[in-house]
PDB file of all heavy atoms in Angstrom:
ATOM      1  N   TYR A  92      39.763 246.374  96.823  1.00 97.00           N
ATOM      2  CA  TYR A  92      41.012 245.605  96.792  1.00 97.00           C
ATOM      3  C   TYR A  92      42.121 246.606  96.494  1.00 97.00           C
ATOM      4  O   TYR A  92      42.412 246.885  95.328  1.00 97.00           O
ATOM      5  CB  TYR A  92      40.897 244.523  95.732  1.00 97.00           C
ATOM      6  CG  TYR A  92      42.034 243.520  95.773  1.00 97.00           C
ATOM      7  CD1 TYR A  92      41.984 242.429  96.652  1.00 97.00           C
ATOM      8  CD2 TYR A  92      43.130 243.634  94.911  1.00 97.00           C
ATOM      9  CE1 TYR A  92      43.008 241.500  96.654  1.00 97.00           C
ATOM     10  CE2 TYR A  92      44.138 242.693  94.919  1.00 97.00           C
ATOM     11  CZ  TYR A  92      44.058 241.622  95.794  1.00 97.00           C
ATOM     12  OH  TYR A  92      45.088 240.680  95.785  1.00 97.00           O
ATOM     13  N   ALA A 199      52.713 250.913 108.735  1.00 91.00           N
ATOM     14  CA  ALA A 199      52.806 250.531 107.344  1.00 91.00           C
ATOM     15  C   ALA A 199      54.090 249.820 106.996  1.00 91.00           C
ATOM     16  O   ALA A 199      54.163 249.050 106.034  1.00 91.00           O
ATOM     17  CB  ALA A 199      52.619 251.748 106.447  1.00 91.00           C
ATOM     18  N   ASP A 287      62.511 239.487  86.788  1.00 93.00           N
ATOM     19  CA  ASP A 287      61.761 239.038  87.935  1.00 93.00           C
ATOM     20  C   ASP A 287      61.980 239.935  89.141  1.00 93.00           C
ATOM     21  O   ASP A 287      63.031 240.568  89.293  1.00 93.00           O
ATOM     22  CB  ASP A 287      62.218 237.616  88.330  1.00 93.00           C
ATOM     23  CG  ASP A 287      61.638 236.596  87.368  1.00 93.00           C
ATOM     24  OD1 ASP A 287      60.684 236.926  86.647  1.00 93.00           O
ATOM     25  OD2 ASP A 287      62.143 235.458  87.378  1.00 93.00           O
ATOM     26  N   ARG A 290      62.034 238.033  94.607  1.00 90.00           N
ATOM     27  CA  ARG A 290      61.359 236.974  95.345  1.00 90.00           C
ATOM     28  C   ARG A 290      60.308 236.245  94.542  1.00 90.00           C
ATOM     29  O   ARG A 290      59.886 235.147  94.903  1.00 90.00           O
ATOM     30  CB  ARG A 290      60.733 237.516  96.639  1.00 90.00           C
ATOM     31  CG  ARG A 290      61.812 237.770  97.681  1.00 90.00           C
ATOM     32  CD  ARG A 290      61.202 238.247  98.985  1.00 90.00           C
ATOM     33  NE  ARG A 290      60.747 239.605  98.890  1.00 90.00           N
ATOM     34  CZ  ARG A 290      59.766 240.111  99.637  1.00 90.00           C
ATOM     35  NH1 ARG A 290      59.147 239.338 100.508  1.00 90.00           N
ATOM     36  NH2 ARG A 290      59.410 241.373  99.527  1.00 90.00           N
ATOM     37  N   ARG A 297      47.575 237.780  87.663  1.00 97.00           N
ATOM     38  CA  ARG A 297      46.176 237.350  87.775  1.00 97.00           C
ATOM     39  C   ARG A 297      45.267 238.561  87.612  1.00 97.00           C
ATOM     40  O   ARG A 297      45.319 239.500  88.415  1.00 97.00           O
ATOM     41  CB  ARG A 297      45.916 236.695  89.131  1.00 97.00           C
ATOM     42  CG  ARG A 297      44.445 236.258  89.300  1.00 97.00           C
ATOM     43  CD  ARG A 297      44.235 235.434  90.553  1.00 97.00           C
ATOM     44  NE  ARG A 297      44.738 234.088  90.393  1.00 97.00           N
ATOM     45  CZ  ARG A 297      45.699 233.557  91.152  1.00 97.00           C
ATOM     46  NH1 ARG A 297      46.217 234.254  92.110  1.00 97.00           N
ATOM     47  NH2 ARG A 297      46.127 232.334  90.938  1.00 97.00           N
TER      48      ARG A 297
ATOM     49  N   GLU B  67      44.031 234.285  95.985  1.00 95.00           N
ATOM     50  CA  GLU B  67      44.971 234.793  96.973  1.00 95.00           C
ATOM     51  C   GLU B  67      44.387 234.691  98.383  1.00 95.00           C
ATOM     52  O   GLU B  67      45.064 234.284  99.336  1.00 95.00           O
ATOM     53  CB  GLU B  67      45.320 236.251  96.667  1.00 95.00           C
ATOM     54  CG  GLU B  67      46.310 236.875  97.596  1.00 95.00           C
ATOM     55  CD  GLU B  67      46.318 238.383  97.491  1.00 95.00           C
ATOM     56  OE1 GLU B  67      45.315 239.035  97.857  1.00 95.00           O
ATOM     57  OE2 GLU B  67      47.314 238.918  97.020  1.00 95.00           O
ATOM     58  N   ASP B 125      48.169 229.082  90.633  1.00 94.00           N
ATOM     59  CA  ASP B 125      49.327 229.905  90.299  1.00 94.00           C
ATOM     60  C   ASP B 125      50.196 229.239  89.221  1.00 94.00           C
ATOM     61  O   ASP B 125      50.712 229.886  88.353  1.00 94.00           O
ATOM     62  CB  ASP B 125      50.200 230.181  91.539  1.00 94.00           C
ATOM     63  CG  ASP B 125      49.528 231.190  92.473  1.00 94.00           C
ATOM     64  OD1 ASP B 125      48.388 231.556  92.201  1.00 94.00           O
ATOM     65  OD2 ASP B 125      50.168 231.572  93.471  1.00 94.00           O
ATOM     66  N   ARG B 140      63.165 230.687  94.267  1.00 93.00           N
ATOM     67  CA  ARG B 140      62.513 231.598  95.194  1.00 93.00           C
ATOM     68  C   ARG B 140      62.671 231.087  96.631  1.00 93.00           C
ATOM     69  O   ARG B 140      61.976 230.153  97.008  1.00 93.00           O
ATOM     70  CB  ARG B 140      61.021 231.732  94.890  1.00 93.00           C
ATOM     71  CG  ARG B 140      60.689 231.717  93.431  1.00 93.00           C
ATOM     72  CD  ARG B 140      60.622 233.100  92.857  1.00 93.00           C
ATOM     73  NE  ARG B 140      60.628 233.020  91.417  1.00 93.00           N
ATOM     74  CZ  ARG B 140      61.352 233.797  90.622  1.00 93.00           C
ATOM     75  NH1 ARG B 140      62.129 234.706  91.158  1.00 93.00           N
ATOM     76  NH2 ARG B 140      61.313 233.664  89.309  1.00 93.00           N
ATOM     77  N   TRP B 193      59.408 235.986 104.470  1.00 93.00           N
ATOM     78  CA  TRP B 193      60.001 236.369 103.212  1.00 93.00           C
ATOM     79  C   TRP B 193      58.974 236.716 102.128  1.00 93.00           C
ATOM     80  O   TRP B 193      59.315 237.204 101.081  1.00 93.00           O
ATOM     81  CB  TRP B 193      60.928 235.258 102.684  1.00 93.00           C
ATOM     82  CG  TRP B 193      62.292 235.416 103.247  1.00 93.00           C
ATOM     83  CD1 TRP B 193      62.791 236.537 103.882  1.00 93.00           C
ATOM     84  CD2 TRP B 193      63.343 234.476 103.245  1.00 93.00           C
ATOM     85  NE1 TRP B 193      64.082 236.317 104.282  1.00 93.00           N
ATOM     86  CE2 TRP B 193      64.473 235.065 103.895  1.00 93.00           C
ATOM     87  CE3 TRP B 193      63.471 233.184 102.742  1.00 93.00           C
ATOM     88  CZ2 TRP B 193      65.676 234.410 104.053  1.00 93.00           C
ATOM     89  CZ3 TRP B 193      64.671 232.532 102.889  1.00 93.00           C
ATOM     90  CH2 TRP B 193      65.760 233.126 103.544  1.00 93.00           C
ATOM     91  N   LYS B 196      55.587 242.116 101.929  1.00 81.00           N
ATOM     92  CA  LYS B 196      56.286 243.213 101.321  1.00 81.00           C
ATOM     93  C   LYS B 196      56.931 244.116 102.370  1.00 81.00           C
ATOM     94  O   LYS B 196      58.085 244.484 102.252  1.00 81.00           O
ATOM     95  CB  LYS B 196      55.329 244.020 100.445  1.00 81.00           C
ATOM     96  CG  LYS B 196      55.610 243.882  98.966  1.00 81.00           C
ATOM     97  CD  LYS B 196      54.430 244.328  98.141  1.00 81.00           C
ATOM     98  CE  LYS B 196      54.505 245.796  97.801  1.00 81.00           C
ATOM     99  NZ  LYS B 196      53.260 246.300  97.199  1.00 81.00           N
ATOM    100  N   SER B 197      56.188 244.531 103.356  1.00 82.00           N
ATOM    101  CA  SER B 197      56.792 245.466 104.299  1.00 82.00           C
ATOM    102  C   SER B 197      56.277 245.260 105.719  1.00 82.00           C
ATOM    103  O   SER B 197      57.000 245.453 106.678  1.00 82.00           O
ATOM    104  CB  SER B 197      56.545 246.904 103.903  1.00 82.00           C
ATOM    105  OG  SER B 197      55.239 247.294 104.212  1.00 82.00           O
TER     106      SER B 197
END
Side-chain angles (χ1 to χ4, degrees):
Chain A
Y92 190 84
D287 284 344
R290 285 183 287 154
R297 179 172 286 120
Chain B
E67 182 195 67
D125 287 6
R140 323 267 165 224
W193 272 347
K196 250 164 89 189
S197 78

